[in-house]
Amino acid sequence: MKTWKVALVGAGTIAKDHYMPQIQAMENAELVAVMDTVPEAVTYAQKEFDIPKGYTCLDKMLDEVEFDILADIAAIQAHYEINLKALQTGKHIYTQKPMALTVEQATELIETARANNVKISASPIHMLRPTVQATRDYVRDGLIGKVHFATMRSSHGGPEYFQTSRLTDASWFYKPGAGPIYDLGVHGLHQLTGILGPARRVTCFSGISEPMRMALGCCGDFERVPFPVEIPDTVLMLLDFGDSTFAFLDCTFCVKSAKGPGTQIFGSRGTIALERGEDASFFRGHPDDGERGWYPLEMPPEPRFQSIGIKDLIDAIEEDRAPVLSAEQARHVIEIMVKAPISAKEGCAMELETTF
């Protein structure tokens, strides 16, 4: 069995808590190098996860280390440049969301991968989650009839509440190129388009609800240090999938807590309601289908782990197939995320051109 060598860029909270230990636990993967612009983060990662090589310069790592797959877990604004350089040097990539900031950049990554005969696996991981796949199949098999509309919550109270440590400054989430659309909305958009298919139009409202923020509860260098919010922290989207099928998505840093299903899909014969994990229910709403009412909806086990995208990428390379987390769907989601702010600014619906 071949052992696939992985180099990781970005040694922040998600990398330390999820990717590094999970990659090291894989039978056919080996973490051979880590790169971050913060030297202390590199030192910690090498020591904690026994990674042989550490760098603060991407170009130096690409020049000196032999590896097969680059895992891009860096800040959102850096993804495109990191991914492009890796693809140009013939590396397969697994990229955290989003893989780029524009449709043009995403297209360049797709074409570069094709030219160099390498593959892209583009996070988030939702279309590899058994519950999301099962929901898609229930919808496609007609369990609730024609889909009228769906609602999805893709918000939390702000990364400064939990993605912080002594070495992590959460203020970058509130600067241009980041924000709740790219950090959180991307999750809901991947699920909605994965279940319902490509969208055709997007309409959006957005604004800055909390002009100043500060980290609370991290007990580190950035505790209670105020910083300005430079981009909208509240974004509400309406998607048009054609044939009078719509979806509403909230993607904000303004939901401290919420109750009720995070996802609901309403159809002509019933409703699917999804809580977190495997908790799902189905409302039988058509008299020809049996007694009306709510029933448990069978869902497969959900052994979710972040690096499942890297595992699928390795399987795709070995099986010579496309990764499940396709770059084309990621590009479609990027177009939605790019055009949503334009819709909010101009007060009109924006037509979407990409598909997958």
Side-chain angles (χ1 to χ4, degrees), residues 47-75:
K47 181 179 179 180
E48 186 72 13
F49 299 102
D50 194 26
I51 304 172
K53 296 184 178 181
Y55 296 87
T56 56
C57 174
L58 175 64
D59 292 337
K60 188 173 177 65
M61 185 180 76
L62 290 172
D63 287 340
E64 295 183 0
V65 182
E66 291 187 10
F67 64 94
D68 307 296
I69 296 168
L70 184 134
D72 182 358
I73 321 297

PDB file of all heavy atoms in Angstrom, residues 47-75:
ATOM      1  N   LYS A  47       6.464  19.762  16.972  1.00  0.00           N
ATOM      2  CA  LYS A  47       6.690  19.056  18.229  1.00  0.00           C
ATOM      3  C   LYS A  47       5.493  18.198  18.607  1.00  0.00           C
ATOM      4  O   LYS A  47       5.641  17.028  18.985  1.00  0.00           O
ATOM      5  CB  LYS A  47       6.992  20.061  19.338  1.00  0.00           C
ATOM      6  CG  LYS A  47       7.266  19.416  20.690  1.00  0.00           C
ATOM      7  CD  LYS A  47       7.577  20.467  21.742  1.00  0.00           C
ATOM      8  CE  LYS A  47       7.823  19.818  23.110  1.00  0.00           C
ATOM      9  NZ  LYS A  47       8.136  20.838  24.157  1.00  0.00           N
ATOM     10  N   GLU A  48       4.288  18.777  18.482  1.00  0.00           N
ATOM     11  CA  GLU A  48       3.087  18.088  18.934  1.00  0.00           C
ATOM     12  C   GLU A  48       2.732  16.898  18.058  1.00  0.00           C
ATOM     13  O   GLU A  48       2.229  15.875  18.544  1.00  0.00           O
ATOM     14  CB  GLU A  48       1.921  19.074  18.971  1.00  0.00           C
ATOM     15  CG  GLU A  48       0.643  18.527  19.557  1.00  0.00           C
ATOM     16  CD  GLU A  48       0.693  18.339  21.057  1.00  0.00           C
ATOM     17  OE1 GLU A  48       1.638  18.864  21.695  1.00  0.00           O
ATOM     18  OE2 GLU A  48      -0.204  17.667  21.594  1.00  0.00           O
ATOM     19  N   PHE A  49       2.997  17.006  16.730  1.00  0.00           N
ATOM     20  CA  PHE A  49       2.546  15.970  15.791  1.00  0.00           C
ATOM     21  C   PHE A  49       3.695  15.272  15.076  1.00  0.00           C
ATOM     22  O   PHE A  49       3.472  14.563  14.093  1.00  0.00           O
ATOM     23  CB  PHE A  49       1.580  16.587  14.771  1.00  0.00           C
ATOM     24  CG  PHE A  49       0.353  17.173  15.416  1.00  0.00           C
ATOM     25  CD1 PHE A  49       0.238  18.546  15.605  1.00  0.00           C
ATOM     26  CD2 PHE A  49      -0.671  16.361  15.866  1.00  0.00           C
ATOM     27  CE1 PHE A  49      -0.880  19.083  16.207  1.00  0.00           C
ATOM     28  CE2 PHE A  49      -1.790  16.886  16.478  1.00  0.00           C
ATOM     29  CZ  PHE A  49      -1.898  18.255  16.654  1.00  0.00           C
ATOM     30  N   ASP A  50       4.899  15.509  15.576  1.00  0.00           N
ATOM     31  CA  ASP A  50       6.080  14.798  15.059  1.00  0.00           C
ATOM     32  C   ASP A  50       6.223  14.968  13.543  1.00  0.00           C
ATOM     33  O   ASP A  50       6.388  14.000  12.794  1.00  0.00           O
ATOM     34  CB  ASP A  50       6.000  13.315  15.428  1.00  0.00           C
ATOM     35  CG  ASP A  50       7.329  12.596  15.230  1.00  0.00           C
ATOM     36  OD1 ASP A  50       8.376  13.262  15.291  1.00  0.00           O
ATOM     37  OD2 ASP A  50       7.309  11.373  14.992  1.00  0.00           O
ATOM     38  N   ILE A  51       6.146  16.214  13.098  1.00  0.00           N
ATOM     39  CA  ILE A  51       6.276  16.535  11.676  1.00  0.00           C
ATOM     40  C   ILE A  51       7.734  16.868  11.393  1.00  0.00           C
ATOM     41  O   ILE A  51       8.292  17.784  12.016  1.00  0.00           O
ATOM     42  CB  ILE A  51       5.366  17.717  11.295  1.00  0.00           C
ATOM     43  CG1 ILE A  51       3.912  17.403  11.663  1.00  0.00           C
ATOM     44  CG2 ILE A  51       5.481  18.035   9.808  1.00  0.00           C
ATOM     45  CD1 ILE A  51       2.967  18.573  11.505  1.00  0.00           C
ATOM     46  N   PRO A  52       8.375  16.175  10.477  1.00  0.00           N
ATOM     47  CA  PRO A  52       9.836  16.315  10.322  1.00  0.00           C
ATOM     48  C   PRO A  52      10.311  17.682   9.846  1.00  0.00           C
ATOM     49  O   PRO A  52      11.375  18.138  10.250  1.00  0.00           O
ATOM     50  CB  PRO A  52      10.199  15.218   9.312  1.00  0.00           C
ATOM     51  CG  PRO A  52       8.919  14.844   8.656  1.00  0.00           C
ATOM     52  CD  PRO A  52       7.841  15.093   9.641  1.00  0.00           C
ATOM     53  N   LYS A  53       9.533  18.351   8.969  1.00  0.00           N
ATOM     54  CA  LYS A  53      10.020  19.609   8.413  1.00  0.00           C
ATOM     55  C   LYS A  53       9.012  20.729   8.631  1.00  0.00           C
ATOM     56  O   LYS A  53       7.802  20.522   8.494  1.00  0.00           O
ATOM     57  CB  LYS A  53      10.312  19.453   6.924  1.00  0.00           C
ATOM     58  CG  LYS A  53      11.438  18.462   6.626  1.00  0.00           C
ATOM     59  CD  LYS A  53      11.771  18.393   5.147  1.00  0.00           C
ATOM     60  CE  LYS A  53      12.926  17.426   4.912  1.00  0.00           C
ATOM     61  NZ  LYS A  53      13.297  17.354   3.467  1.00  0.00           N
ATOM     62  N   GLY A  54       9.537  21.920   8.960  1.00  0.00           N
ATOM     63  CA  GLY A  54       8.684  23.070   9.183  1.00  0.00           C
ATOM     64  C   GLY A  54       9.211  24.294   8.462  1.00  0.00           C
ATOM     65  O   GLY A  54      10.436  24.496   8.365  1.00  0.00           O
ATOM     66  N   TYR A  55       8.299  25.122   7.968  1.00  0.00           N
ATOM     67  CA  TYR A  55       8.677  26.281   7.159  1.00  0.00           C
ATOM     68  C   TYR A  55       7.784  27.471   7.479  1.00  0.00           C
ATOM     69  O   TYR A  55       6.633  27.309   7.899  1.00  0.00           O
ATOM     70  CB  TYR A  55       8.555  25.964   5.667  1.00  0.00           C
ATOM     71  CG  TYR A  55       9.496  24.894   5.176  1.00  0.00           C
ATOM     72  CD1 TYR A  55       9.144  23.542   5.256  1.00  0.00           C
ATOM     73  CD2 TYR A  55      10.736  25.230   4.646  1.00  0.00           C
ATOM     74  CE1 TYR A  55      10.013  22.552   4.823  1.00  0.00           C
ATOM     75  CE2 TYR A  55      11.609  24.248   4.199  1.00  0.00           C
ATOM     76  CZ  TYR A  55      11.250  22.924   4.290  1.00  0.00           C
ATOM     77  OH  TYR A  55      12.117  21.950   3.852  1.00  0.00           O
ATOM     78  N   THR A  56       8.321  28.666   7.229  1.00  0.00           N
ATOM     79  CA  THR A  56       7.522  29.890   7.247  1.00  0.00           C
ATOM     80  C   THR A  56       7.420  30.494   5.854  1.00  0.00           C
ATOM     81  O   THR A  56       6.827  31.556   5.693  1.00  0.00           O
ATOM     82  CB  THR A  56       8.150  30.927   8.202  1.00  0.00           C
ATOM     83  OG1 THR A  56       9.504  31.177   7.811  1.00  0.00           O
ATOM     84  CG2 THR A  56       8.097  30.430   9.648  1.00  0.00           C
ATOM     85  N   CYS A  57       7.974  29.822   4.849  1.00  0.00           N
ATOM     86  CA  CYS A  57       7.924  30.281   3.458  1.00  0.00           C
ATOM     87  C   CYS A  57       7.399  29.158   2.577  1.00  0.00           C
ATOM     88  O   CYS A  57       7.986  28.062   2.532  1.00  0.00           O
ATOM     89  CB  CYS A  57       9.317  30.713   2.992  1.00  0.00           C
ATOM     90  SG  CYS A  57       9.412  31.145   1.233  1.00  0.00           S
ATOM     91  N   LEU A  58       6.301  29.398   1.867  1.00  0.00           N
ATOM     92  CA  LEU A  58       5.707  28.378   1.006  1.00  0.00           C
ATOM     93  C   LEU A  58       6.650  27.962  -0.113  1.00  0.00           C
ATOM     94  O   LEU A  58       6.807  26.769  -0.394  1.00  0.00           O
ATOM     95  CB  LEU A  58       4.389  28.897   0.421  1.00  0.00           C
ATOM     96  CG  LEU A  58       3.709  27.987  -0.602  1.00  0.00           C
ATOM     97  CD1 LEU A  58       3.287  26.669   0.026  1.00  0.00           C
ATOM     98  CD2 LEU A  58       2.498  28.692  -1.225  1.00  0.00           C
ATOM     99  N   ASP A  59       7.254  28.941  -0.789  1.00  0.00           N
ATOM    100  CA  ASP A  59       8.139  28.625  -1.916  1.00  0.00           C
ATOM    101  C   ASP A  59       9.287  27.713  -1.482  1.00  0.00           C
ATOM    102  O   ASP A  59       9.672  26.789  -2.215  1.00  0.00           O
ATOM    103  CB  ASP A  59       8.697  29.912  -2.530  1.00  0.00           C
ATOM    104  CG  ASP A  59       7.628  30.733  -3.227  1.00  0.00           C
ATOM    105  OD1 ASP A  59       6.592  30.151  -3.610  1.00  0.00           O
ATOM    106  OD2 ASP A  59       7.803  31.951  -3.376  1.00  0.00           O
ATOM    107  N   LYS A  60       9.827  27.965  -0.318  1.00  0.00           N
ATOM    108  CA  LYS A  60      10.938  27.145   0.185  1.00  0.00           C
ATOM    109  C   LYS A  60      10.472  25.718   0.441  1.00  0.00           C
ATOM    110  O   LYS A  60      11.185  24.759   0.105  1.00  0.00           O
ATOM    111  CB  LYS A  60      11.492  27.775   1.464  1.00  0.00           C
ATOM    112  CG  LYS A  60      12.770  27.135   1.978  1.00  0.00           C
ATOM    113  CD  LYS A  60      13.328  27.929   3.146  1.00  0.00           C
ATOM    114  CE  LYS A  60      14.573  27.264   3.734  1.00  0.00           C
ATOM    115  NZ  LYS A  60      15.694  27.249   2.759  1.00  0.00           N
ATOM    116  N   MET A  61       9.278  25.568   0.996  1.00  0.00           N
ATOM    117  CA  MET A  61       8.756  24.221   1.226  1.00  0.00           C
ATOM    118  C   MET A  61       8.531  23.489  -0.093  1.00  0.00           C
ATOM    119  O   MET A  61       8.869  22.308  -0.232  1.00  0.00           O
ATOM    120  CB  MET A  61       7.451  24.272   2.024  1.00  0.00           C
ATOM    121  CG  MET A  61       6.921  22.895   2.411  1.00  0.00           C
ATOM    122  SD  MET A  61       5.372  22.945   3.361  1.00  0.00           S
ATOM    123  CE  MET A  61       4.202  23.330   2.044  1.00  0.00           C
ATOM    124  N   LEU A  62       7.943  24.191  -1.064  1.00  0.00           N
ATOM    125  CA  LEU A  62       7.695  23.561  -2.369  1.00  0.00           C
ATOM    126  C   LEU A  62       9.000  23.148  -3.041  1.00  0.00           C
ATOM    127  O   LEU A  62       9.057  22.132  -3.738  1.00  0.00           O
ATOM    128  CB  LEU A  62       6.915  24.518  -3.271  1.00  0.00           C
ATOM    129  CG  LEU A  62       5.450  24.771  -2.883  1.00  0.00           C
ATOM    130  CD1 LEU A  62       4.857  25.887  -3.735  1.00  0.00           C
ATOM    131  CD2 LEU A  62       4.622  23.509  -3.015  1.00  0.00           C
ATOM    132  N   ASP A  63      10.056  23.925  -2.835  1.00  0.00           N
ATOM    133  CA  ASP A  63      11.346  23.629  -3.460  1.00  0.00           C
ATOM    134  C   ASP A  63      12.069  22.472  -2.782  1.00  0.00           C
ATOM    135  O   ASP A  63      12.751  21.683  -3.445  1.00  0.00           O
ATOM    136  CB  ASP A  63      12.250  24.873  -3.427  1.00  0.00           C
ATOM    137  CG  ASP A  63      11.806  25.941  -4.404  1.00  0.00           C
ATOM    138  OD1 ASP A  63      11.068  25.615  -5.354  1.00  0.00           O
ATOM    139  OD2 ASP A  63      12.200  27.110  -4.216  1.00  0.00           O
ATOM    140  N   GLU A  64      11.910  22.338  -1.472  1.00  0.00           N
ATOM    141  CA  GLU A  64      12.763  21.428  -0.724  1.00  0.00           C
ATOM    142  C   GLU A  64      12.117  20.104  -0.324  1.00  0.00           C
ATOM    143  O   GLU A  64      12.834  19.132  -0.037  1.00  0.00           O
ATOM    144  CB  GLU A  64      13.260  22.132   0.555  1.00  0.00           C
ATOM    145  CG  GLU A  64      14.161  23.327   0.289  1.00  0.00           C
ATOM    146  CD  GLU A  64      14.700  23.954   1.561  1.00  0.00           C
ATOM    147  OE1 GLU A  64      14.377  23.448   2.661  1.00  0.00           O
ATOM    148  OE2 GLU A  64      15.452  24.933   1.466  1.00  0.00           O
ATOM    149  N   VAL A  65      10.812  20.045  -0.316  1.00  0.00           N
ATOM    150  CA  VAL A  65      10.142  18.850   0.217  1.00  0.00           C
ATOM    151  C   VAL A  65       9.490  18.045  -0.906  1.00  0.00           C
ATOM    152  O   VAL A  65       8.797  18.602  -1.757  1.00  0.00           O
ATOM    153  CB  VAL A  65       9.066  19.237   1.260  1.00  0.00           C
ATOM    154  CG1 VAL A  65       8.411  17.982   1.841  1.00  0.00           C
ATOM    155  CG2 VAL A  65       9.674  20.080   2.371  1.00  0.00           C
ATOM    156  N   GLU A  66       9.711  16.747  -0.883  1.00  0.00           N
ATOM    157  CA  GLU A  66       9.031  15.855  -1.814  1.00  0.00           C
ATOM    158  C   GLU A  66       7.726  15.378  -1.167  1.00  0.00           C
ATOM    159  O   GLU A  66       7.745  14.759  -0.094  1.00  0.00           O
ATOM    160  CB  GLU A  66       9.915  14.652  -2.144  1.00  0.00           C
ATOM    161  CG  GLU A  66      11.145  14.995  -2.980  1.00  0.00           C
ATOM    162  CD  GLU A  66      11.896  13.745  -3.427  1.00  0.00           C
ATOM    163  OE1 GLU A  66      11.339  12.637  -3.233  1.00  0.00           O
ATOM    164  OE2 GLU A  66      13.015  13.877  -3.943  1.00  0.00           O
ATOM    165  N   PHE A  67       6.604  15.686  -1.816  1.00  0.00           N
ATOM    166  CA  PHE A  67       5.310  15.248  -1.286  1.00  0.00           C
ATOM    167  C   PHE A  67       4.313  15.141  -2.434  1.00  0.00           C
ATOM    168  O   PHE A  67       4.567  15.604  -3.555  1.00  0.00           O
ATOM    169  CB  PHE A  67       4.811  16.196  -0.186  1.00  0.00           C
ATOM    170  CG  PHE A  67       4.510  17.600  -0.639  1.00  0.00           C
ATOM    171  CD1 PHE A  67       3.226  17.974  -1.004  1.00  0.00           C
ATOM    172  CD2 PHE A  67       5.520  18.556  -0.684  1.00  0.00           C
ATOM    173  CE1 PHE A  67       2.939  19.265  -1.400  1.00  0.00           C
ATOM    174  CE2 PHE A  67       5.244  19.860  -1.083  1.00  0.00           C
ATOM    175  CZ  PHE A  67       3.957  20.215  -1.444  1.00  0.00           C
ATOM    176  N   ASP A  68       3.162  14.527  -2.152  1.00  0.00           N
ATOM    177  CA  ASP A  68       2.152  14.265  -3.181  1.00  0.00           C
ATOM    178  C   ASP A  68       0.976  15.226  -3.112  1.00  0.00           C
ATOM    179  O   ASP A  68       0.435  15.639  -4.141  1.00  0.00           O
ATOM    180  CB  ASP A  68       1.608  12.836  -3.021  1.00  0.00           C
ATOM    181  CG  ASP A  68       2.700  11.794  -2.997  1.00  0.00           C
ATOM    182  OD1 ASP A  68       3.382  11.646  -4.010  1.00  0.00           O
ATOM    183  OD2 ASP A  68       2.858  11.136  -1.940  1.00  0.00           O
ATOM    184  N   ILE A  69       0.550  15.568  -1.894  1.00  0.00           N
ATOM    185  CA  ILE A  69      -0.680  16.335  -1.689  1.00  0.00           C
ATOM    186  C   ILE A  69      -0.389  17.534  -0.796  1.00  0.00           C
ATOM    187  O   ILE A  69       0.273  17.398   0.245  1.00  0.00           O
ATOM    188  CB  ILE A  69      -1.761  15.460  -1.020  1.00  0.00           C
ATOM    189  CG1 ILE A  69      -2.158  14.309  -1.944  1.00  0.00           C
ATOM    190  CG2 ILE A  69      -2.985  16.289  -0.634  1.00  0.00           C
ATOM    191  CD1 ILE A  69      -3.004  13.246  -1.259  1.00  0.00           C
ATOM    192  N   LEU A  70      -0.877  18.690  -1.203  1.00  0.00           N
ATOM    193  CA  LEU A  70      -0.820  19.859  -0.340  1.00  0.00           C
ATOM    194  C   LEU A  70      -2.194  20.089   0.268  1.00  0.00           C
ATOM    195  O   LEU A  70      -3.190  20.161  -0.451  1.00  0.00           O
ATOM    196  CB  LEU A  70      -0.380  21.107  -1.105  1.00  0.00           C
ATOM    197  CG  LEU A  70      -0.216  22.345  -0.213  1.00  0.00           C
ATOM    198  CD1 LEU A  70       1.086  23.072  -0.528  1.00  0.00           C
ATOM    199  CD2 LEU A  70      -1.397  23.307  -0.367  1.00  0.00           C
ATOM    200  N   ALA A  71      -2.244  20.196   1.596  1.00  0.00           N
ATOM    201  CA  ALA A  71      -3.480  20.513   2.305  1.00  0.00           C
ATOM    202  C   ALA A  71      -3.436  21.988   2.683  1.00  0.00           C
ATOM    203  O   ALA A  71      -2.605  22.399   3.500  1.00  0.00           O
ATOM    204  CB  ALA A  71      -3.620  19.646   3.550  1.00  0.00           C
ATOM    205  N   ASP A  72      -4.308  22.778   2.079  1.00  0.00           N
ATOM    206  CA  ASP A  72      -4.325  24.225   2.277  1.00  0.00           C
ATOM    207  C   ASP A  72      -5.334  24.557   3.375  1.00  0.00           C
ATOM    208  O   ASP A  72      -6.542  24.612   3.136  1.00  0.00           O
ATOM    209  CB  ASP A  72      -4.694  24.925   0.965  1.00  0.00           C
ATOM    210  CG  ASP A  72      -4.682  26.438   1.081  1.00  0.00           C
ATOM    211  OD1 ASP A  72      -4.427  26.944   2.186  1.00  0.00           O
ATOM    212  OD2 ASP A  72      -4.937  27.109   0.065  1.00  0.00           O
ATOM    213  N   ILE A  73      -4.831  24.816   4.588  1.00  0.00           N
ATOM    214  CA  ILE A  73      -5.678  25.124   5.735  1.00  0.00           C
ATOM    215  C   ILE A  73      -5.379  26.557   6.204  1.00  0.00           C
ATOM    216  O   ILE A  73      -5.563  26.899   7.370  1.00  0.00           O
ATOM    217  CB  ILE A  73      -5.442  24.118   6.885  1.00  0.00           C
ATOM    218  CG1 ILE A  73      -5.254  22.694   6.344  1.00  0.00           C
ATOM    219  CG2 ILE A  73      -6.612  24.135   7.867  1.00  0.00           C
ATOM    220  CD1 ILE A  73      -6.454  22.133   5.625  1.00  0.00           C
ATOM    221  N   ALA A  74      -4.899  27.372   5.286  1.00  0.00           N
ATOM    222  CA  ALA A  74      -4.498  28.741   5.613  1.00  0.00           C
ATOM    223  C   ALA A  74      -5.716  29.663   5.682  1.00  0.00           C
ATOM    224  O   ALA A  74      -6.864  29.235   5.505  1.00  0.00           O
ATOM    225  CB  ALA A  74      -3.497  29.248   4.577  1.00  0.00           C
ATOM    226  N   ALA A  75      -5.465  30.952   5.916  1.00  0.00           N
ATOM    227  CA  ALA A  75      -6.531  31.951   5.932  1.00  0.00           C
ATOM    228  C   ALA A  75      -7.183  32.056   4.558  1.00  0.00           C
ATOM    229  O   ALA A  75      -6.540  31.823   3.523  1.00  0.00           O
ATOM    230  CB  ALA A  75      -5.973  33.311   6.349  1.00  0.00           C
TER     231      ALA A  75
END
